[in-house]
Amino acid sequence: MPSSTFVNNVWVIVVQKDIVSSTITTSDVAVFQTIGNGLIIDDVIVTTDATGLAGSTALVLKADGRTFFQTAVSGLGATAVKDIKNASVTGSKVSVPAGTKNITVAGTIAVGTGAGIATITLVCRKVDSVSTINPL
């Protein structure tokens, strides 16, 4: 699955990862990992390809076990865009504590199906110069 990371000089990190619908399970799967003294996740943008997601009831993102983004899969059909402000269930900024922490993805009720791809983009603010986030 393709992924990328961009870090600029104002301590903002933008990181992306593609998730195939059929790889989404009902268990939390680590897709990003934070390292250092902490981050603040300011925004989440989920975009889908021409196929979209299927199977699960909702797409859930957690930071260190705390849900900060949850939106209905029915709203993630072909070429959809959802951000933290427009998540259908939960959308909130979150502080990720110091240490090595996982950002996870899961589906609710059922596993994902199909070949649709969701690109998850996280916009994060570093709390110090050494903190970072990496796609897994």
Side-chain angles (χ1 to χ4, degrees):
M1 292 180 224
S3 59
S4 62
T5 304
F6 170 75
V7 180
N8 66 21
N9 62 356
V10 293
W11 294 20
V12 173
I13 302 169
V14 179
V15 62
Q16 282 188 330
K17 180 152 179 97
D18 289 343
I19 308 292
V20 178
S21 186
S22 62
T23 66
I24 298 171
T25 69
T26 55
S27 299
D28 294 339
V29 175
V31 291
F32 299 101
Q33 189 171 67
T34 66
I35 301 166
N37 294 316
L39 294 168
I40 297 169
I41 299 176
D42 278 332
D43 204 359
V44 176
I45 304 162
V46 178
T47 57
T48 57
D49 64 1
T51 303
L53 300 185
S56 299
T57 300
L59 178 71
V60 180
L61 294 172
K62 293 180 183 177
D64 194 31
R66 295 171 290 161
T67 300
F68 66 96
F69 181 86
Q70 183 172 345
T71 198
V73 168
S74 61
L76 293 172
T79 61
V81 178
K82 289 285 181 185
D83 65 9
I84 208 164
K85 295 176 187 172
N86 296 304
S88 62
V89 180
T90 301
S92 60
K93 295 180 181 186
V94 67
S95 175
V96 183
T100 301
K101 307 296 181 187
N102 289 325
I103 309 299
T104 61
V105 66
T108 61
I109 309 299
V111 299
T113 60
I117 296 173
T119 300
I120 299 173
T121 305
L122 301 180
V123 179
C124 308
R125 247 180 313 132
K126 299 164 67 165
V127 298
D128 69 5
S129 63
V130 298
S131 298
T132 193
I133 184 169
N134 298 312
L136 297 175

